[in-house]
Each structure stands twice: as structure tokens, then as C-alpha cells.
mmCIF file of all heavy atoms in Angstrom:
data_model
loop_
_atom_site.group_PDB
_atom_site.id
_atom_site.type_symbol
_atom_site.label_atom_id
_atom_site.label_comp_id
_atom_site.label_asym_id
_atom_site.label_seq_id
_atom_site.Cartn_x
_atom_site.Cartn_y
_atom_site.Cartn_z
ATOM 1 N N GLU A 1 5.958 9.643 0.769
ATOM 2 C CA GLU A 1 6.291 10.687 1.724
ATOM 3 C C GLU A 1 6.763 9.909 3.137
ATOM 4 O O GLU A 1 7.593 10.390 3.725
ATOM 5 C CB GLU A 1 5.068 11.532 1.984
ATOM 6 C CG GLU A 1 5.252 12.673 2.970
ATOM 7 C CD GLU A 1 6.293 13.639 2.473
ATOM 8 O OE1 GLU A 1 6.658 13.685 1.410
ATOM 9 O OE2 GLU A 1 6.725 14.565 3.438
ATOM 10 N N TYR A 2 6.083 8.830 3.454
ATOM 11 C CA TYR A 2 6.456 8.167 4.607
ATOM 12 C C TYR A 2 7.869 7.622 4.508
ATOM 13 O O TYR A 2 8.750 7.724 5.438
ATOM 14 C CB TYR A 2 5.559 7.030 4.984
ATOM 15 C CG TYR A 2 5.913 6.173 6.141
ATOM 16 C CD1 TYR A 2 5.338 6.434 7.324
ATOM 17 C CD2 TYR A 2 6.764 5.066 6.011
ATOM 18 C CE1 TYR A 2 5.677 5.658 8.589
ATOM 19 C CE2 TYR A 2 7.220 4.223 7.016
ATOM 20 C CZ TYR A 2 6.529 4.658 8.358
ATOM 21 O OH TYR A 2 6.946 3.870 9.468
ATOM 22 N N PHE A 3 8.301 6.985 3.268
ATOM 23 C CA PHE A 3 9.545 6.538 3.065
ATOM 24 C C PHE A 3 10.621 7.602 3.136
ATOM 25 O O PHE A 3 11.714 7.414 3.595
ATOM 26 C CB PHE A 3 9.505 5.778 1.678
ATOM 27 C CG PHE A 3 10.755 5.105 1.536
ATOM 28 C CD1 PHE A 3 11.125 3.879 1.981
ATOM 29 C CD2 PHE A 3 11.831 5.694 0.646
ATOM 30 C CE1 PHE A 3 12.290 3.127 1.696
ATOM 31 C CE2 PHE A 3 12.957 5.056 0.437
ATOM 32 C CZ PHE A 3 13.268 3.797 0.847
ATOM 33 N N ARG A 4 10.347 8.737 2.556
ATOM 34 C CA ARG A 4 11.239 9.823 2.635
ATOM 35 C C ARG A 4 11.478 10.423 4.014
ATOM 36 O O ARG A 4 12.683 10.670 4.345
ATOM 37 C CB ARG A 4 10.640 11.103 1.827
ATOM 38 C CG ARG A 4 11.497 12.215 1.509
ATOM 39 C CD ARG A 4 10.999 13.327 0.847
ATOM 40 N NE ARG A 4 9.938 13.989 1.686
ATOM 41 C CZ ARG A 4 10.209 14.780 2.692
ATOM 42 N NH1 ARG A 4 11.478 15.133 3.027
ATOM 43 N NH2 ARG A 4 9.211 15.337 3.480
ATOM 44 N N LYS A 5 10.544 10.478 4.765
ATOM 45 C CA LYS A 5 10.740 10.993 6.139
ATOM 46 C C LYS A 5 11.322 9.908 7.064
ATOM 47 O O LYS A 5 12.262 10.245 7.910
ATOM 48 C CB LYS A 5 9.322 11.346 6.738
ATOM 49 C CG LYS A 5 8.844 12.653 6.163
ATOM 50 C CD LYS A 5 7.515 13.098 6.765
ATOM 51 C CE LYS A 5 6.971 14.365 6.254
ATOM 52 N NZ LYS A 5 5.647 14.859 6.889
ATOM 53 N N GLU A 6 10.830 8.691 7.125
ATOM 54 C CA GLU A 6 11.253 7.610 8.088
ATOM 55 C C GLU A 6 12.372 6.683 7.470
ATOM 56 O O GLU A 6 13.098 6.113 8.278
ATOM 57 C CB GLU A 6 10.099 6.699 8.310
ATOM 58 C CG GLU A 6 8.754 7.498 8.885
ATOM 59 C CD GLU A 6 9.108 8.094 10.118
ATOM 60 O OE1 GLU A 6 9.946 7.653 10.939
ATOM 61 O OE2 GLU A 6 8.475 9.076 10.369
ATOM 62 N N GLY A 7 12.553 6.723 6.145
ATOM 63 C CA GLY A 7 13.776 5.984 5.520
ATOM 64 C C GLY A 7 13.387 4.427 5.656
ATOM 65 O O GLY A 7 14.344 3.705 5.609
ATOM 66 N N LYS A 8 12.177 4.129 5.679
ATOM 67 C CA LYS A 8 11.834 2.682 5.781
ATOM 68 C C LYS A 8 10.435 2.457 5.166
ATOM 69 O O LYS A 8 9.636 3.516 5.027
ATOM 70 C CB LYS A 8 11.832 2.087 7.185
ATOM 71 C CG LYS A 8 10.936 2.817 8.162
ATOM 72 C CD LYS A 8 11.078 2.200 9.525
ATOM 73 C CE LYS A 8 9.863 2.929 10.376
ATOM 74 N NZ LYS A 8 10.072 2.297 11.841
ATOM 75 N N VAL A 9 10.031 1.290 4.918
ATOM 76 C CA VAL A 9 8.725 1.085 4.319
ATOM 77 C C VAL A 9 7.814 0.699 5.538
ATOM 78 O O VAL A 9 8.105 0.420 6.546
ATOM 79 C CB VAL A 9 8.852 -0.258 3.327
ATOM 80 C CG1 VAL A 9 9.670 0.001 2.222
ATOM 81 C CG2 VAL A 9 9.308 -1.571 4.199
ATOM 82 N N ILE A 10 6.457 0.776 5.242
ATOM 83 C CA ILE A 10 5.435 0.565 6.135
ATOM 84 C C ILE A 10 5.067 -0.900 6.424
ATOM 85 O O ILE A 10 4.549 -1.203 7.403
ATOM 86 C CB ILE A 10 4.228 1.380 6.011
ATOM 87 C CG1 ILE A 10 3.356 0.835 4.757
ATOM 88 C CG2 ILE A 10 4.423 2.859 5.800
ATOM 89 C CD1 ILE A 10 2.044 1.314 4.601
ATOM 90 N N GLY A 11 5.518 -1.749 5.470
ATOM 91 C CA GLY A 11 5.211 -3.012 5.477
ATOM 92 C C GLY A 11 5.786 -3.920 4.240
ATOM 93 O O GLY A 11 6.322 -3.275 3.410
ATOM 94 N N PRO A 12 5.654 -5.139 4.279
ATOM 95 C CA PRO A 12 6.226 -5.899 3.280
ATOM 96 C C PRO A 12 5.760 -5.651 1.764
ATOM 97 O O PRO A 12 6.381 -6.044 0.776
ATOM 98 C CB PRO A 12 5.990 -7.365 3.604
ATOM 99 C CG PRO A 12 4.844 -7.328 4.516
ATOM 100 C CD PRO A 12 4.973 -6.021 5.323
ATOM 101 N N LEU A 13 4.519 -5.095 1.687
ATOM 102 C CA LEU A 13 3.969 -4.885 0.413
ATOM 103 C C LEU A 13 4.059 -3.322 -0.003
ATOM 104 O O LEU A 13 3.292 -2.918 -0.889
ATOM 105 C CB LEU A 13 2.470 -5.296 0.359
ATOM 106 C CG LEU A 13 2.253 -6.761 0.652
ATOM 107 C CD1 LEU A 13 0.792 -7.157 0.473
ATOM 108 C CD2 LEU A 13 3.097 -7.682 -0.299
ATOM 109 N N HIS A 14 4.722 -2.554 0.713
ATOM 110 C CA HIS A 14 4.851 -1.135 0.610
ATOM 111 C C HIS A 14 5.075 -0.691 -1.078
ATOM 112 O O HIS A 14 5.947 -1.090 -1.545
ATOM 113 C CB HIS A 14 6.120 -0.621 1.308
ATOM 114 C CG HIS A 14 6.237 0.944 1.266
ATOM 115 N ND1 HIS A 14 6.071 1.678 2.342
ATOM 116 C CD2 HIS A 14 6.637 1.728 0.239
ATOM 117 C CE1 HIS A 14 6.292 3.076 2.007
ATOM 118 N NE2 HIS A 14 6.585 3.015 0.724
ATOM 119 N N GLY A 15 3.958 -0.064 -1.366
ATOM 120 C CA GLY A 15 4.033 0.458 -2.754
ATOM 121 C C GLY A 15 3.639 -0.599 -3.973
ATOM 122 O O GLY A 15 3.700 -0.221 -5.096
ATOM 123 N N LEU A 16 3.369 -1.752 -3.673
ATOM 124 C CA LEU A 16 2.968 -2.720 -4.482
ATOM 125 C C LEU A 16 1.667 -2.584 -5.200
ATOM 126 O O LEU A 16 0.588 -2.557 -4.421
ATOM 127 C CB LEU A 16 3.180 -4.156 -3.985
ATOM 128 C CG LEU A 16 2.858 -5.346 -4.867
ATOM 129 C CD1 LEU A 16 3.910 -5.471 -5.983
ATOM 130 C CD2 LEU A 16 2.645 -6.671 -4.186
ATOM 131 N N PRO A 17 1.557 -2.391 -6.508
ATOM 132 C CA PRO A 17 0.190 -2.215 -7.024
ATOM 133 C C PRO A 17 -0.504 -3.540 -7.100
ATOM 134 O O PRO A 17 0.034 -4.640 -7.536
ATOM 135 C CB PRO A 17 0.522 -1.720 -8.393
ATOM 136 C CG PRO A 17 1.993 -1.182 -8.392
ATOM 137 C CD PRO A 17 2.663 -2.134 -7.408
ATOM 138 N N ILE A 18 -1.745 -3.568 -6.621
ATOM 139 C CA ILE A 18 -2.521 -4.883 -6.561
ATOM 140 C C ILE A 18 -3.907 -4.543 -7.165
ATOM 141 O O ILE A 18 -4.577 -3.669 -6.838
ATOM 142 C CB ILE A 18 -2.708 -5.385 -5.206
ATOM 143 C CG1 ILE A 18 -1.343 -5.809 -4.757
ATOM 144 C CG2 ILE A 18 -3.623 -6.483 -5.042
ATOM 145 C CD1 ILE A 18 -1.323 -6.543 -3.309
ATOM 146 N N SER A 19 -4.334 -5.429 -8.102
ATOM 147 C CA SER A 19 -5.772 -5.377 -8.635
ATOM 148 C C SER A 19 -6.477 -6.514 -7.946
ATOM 149 O O SER A 19 -5.865 -7.549 -7.489
ATOM 150 C CB SER A 19 -5.685 -5.731 -10.187
ATOM 151 O OG SER A 19 -5.084 -6.933 -10.391
ATOM 152 N N VAL A 20 -7.813 -6.404 -7.828
ATOM 153 C CA VAL A 20 -8.675 -7.418 -7.081
ATOM 154 C C VAL A 20 -9.811 -7.648 -7.972
ATOM 155 O O VAL A 20 -10.399 -6.797 -8.803
ATOM 156 C CB VAL A 20 -9.026 -6.899 -5.726
ATOM 157 C CG1 VAL A 20 -7.857 -6.765 -4.812
ATOM 158 C CG2 VAL A 20 -9.895 -5.675 -5.702
ATOM 159 N N LYS A 21 -10.403 -8.928 -7.841
ATOM 160 C CA LYS A 21 -11.597 -9.030 -8.627
ATOM 161 C C LYS A 21 -12.814 -8.284 -8.033
ATOM 162 O O LYS A 21 -12.784 -7.736 -7.065
ATOM 163 C CB LYS A 21 -11.910 -10.605 -8.431
ATOM 164 C CG LYS A 21 -10.939 -11.527 -8.936
ATOM 165 C CD LYS A 21 -11.134 -12.997 -8.509
ATOM 166 C CE LYS A 21 -12.554 -13.570 -9.080
ATOM 167 N NZ LYS A 21 -12.659 -15.017 -8.682
ATOM 168 N N SER A 22 -13.806 -8.244 -8.928
ATOM 169 C CA SER A 22 -14.923 -7.358 -8.780
ATOM 170 C C SER A 22 -15.527 -7.628 -7.495
ATOM 171 O O SER A 22 -16.169 -6.702 -6.793
ATOM 172 C CB SER A 22 -15.808 -7.489 -9.911
ATOM 173 O OG SER A 22 -17.072 -6.911 -9.616
ATOM 174 N N GLN A 23 -15.581 -8.897 -7.034
ATOM 175 C CA GLN A 23 -16.395 -9.348 -5.824
ATOM 176 C C GLN A 23 -15.937 -8.741 -4.472
ATOM 177 O O GLN A 23 -16.669 -8.677 -3.561
ATOM 178 C CB GLN A 23 -16.444 -10.822 -5.682
ATOM 179 C CG GLN A 23 -15.094 -11.368 -5.174
ATOM 180 C CD GLN A 23 -15.062 -12.846 -5.311
ATOM 181 O OE1 GLN A 23 -14.653 -13.263 -6.424
ATOM 182 N NE2 GLN A 23 -15.137 -13.533 -4.255
ATOM 183 N N PHE A 24 -14.741 -8.278 -4.538
ATOM 184 C CA PHE A 24 -14.033 -7.696 -3.156
ATOM 185 C C PHE A 24 -14.236 -6.264 -3.108
ATOM 186 O O PHE A 24 -13.699 -5.263 -3.905
ATOM 187 C CB PHE A 24 -12.513 -8.107 -3.229
ATOM 188 C CG PHE A 24 -12.139 -9.498 -3.186
ATOM 189 C CD1 PHE A 24 -11.693 -10.169 -4.273
ATOM 190 C CD2 PHE A 24 -12.578 -10.267 -1.953
ATOM 191 C CE1 PHE A 24 -11.438 -11.469 -4.284
ATOM 192 C CE2 PHE A 24 -12.159 -11.624 -2.115
ATOM 193 C CZ PHE A 24 -11.696 -12.276 -3.115
ATOM 194 N N PRO A 25 -14.991 -5.768 -2.084
ATOM 195 C CA PRO A 25 -15.404 -4.318 -1.906
ATOM 196 C C PRO A 25 -13.899 -3.484 -1.625
ATOM 197 O O PRO A 25 -13.122 -3.903 -0.828
ATOM 198 C CB PRO A 25 -16.210 -4.355 -0.631
ATOM 199 C CG PRO A 25 -16.816 -5.696 -0.632
ATOM 200 C CD PRO A 25 -15.909 -6.628 -1.119
ATOM 201 N N ILE A 26 -13.932 -2.468 -2.383
ATOM 202 C CA ILE A 26 -12.909 -1.541 -2.105
ATOM 203 C C ILE A 26 -13.669 -0.137 -1.976
ATOM 204 O O ILE A 26 -14.512 0.166 -2.931
ATOM 205 C CB ILE A 26 -11.847 -1.304 -3.349
ATOM 206 C CG1 ILE A 26 -10.949 -2.589 -3.411
ATOM 207 C CG2 ILE A 26 -10.996 -0.146 -3.181
ATOM 208 C CD1 ILE A 26 -9.973 -2.547 -4.455
ATOM 209 N N LYS A 27 -13.330 0.602 -0.990
ATOM 210 C CA LYS A 27 -14.151 1.896 -0.773
ATOM 211 C C LYS A 27 -14.138 2.796 -1.921
ATOM 212 O O LYS A 27 -13.071 3.066 -2.437
ATOM 213 C CB LYS A 27 -13.586 2.575 0.433
ATOM 214 C CG LYS A 27 -14.416 3.789 0.854
ATOM 215 C CD LYS A 27 -13.791 4.493 2.101
ATOM 216 C CE LYS A 27 -14.677 5.696 2.496
ATOM 217 N NZ LYS A 27 -14.092 6.419 3.828
ATOM 218 N N GLY A 28 -15.316 3.197 -2.419
ATOM 219 C CA GLY A 28 -15.349 4.160 -3.505
ATOM 220 C C GLY A 28 -15.380 3.489 -4.951
ATOM 221 O O GLY A 28 -15.494 4.079 -5.921
#
């Protein structure tokens, strides 16, 4: 939605799926 409205990405990793190891907390 941001890309559609602004015509640009929010940062260099915009939309990149990233998995992390169990030890790193992710909310929820």
C-alpha cells in the first residue's frame, strides 16, 4: 500500500521475506 501511494520503497529490504533463528525474539 505504501509503494502504491508513494511510488517508492520504505528501505533497501522493502518486502524481502526473512526467517530468523529461534533465539531472536519476534513479537507474538
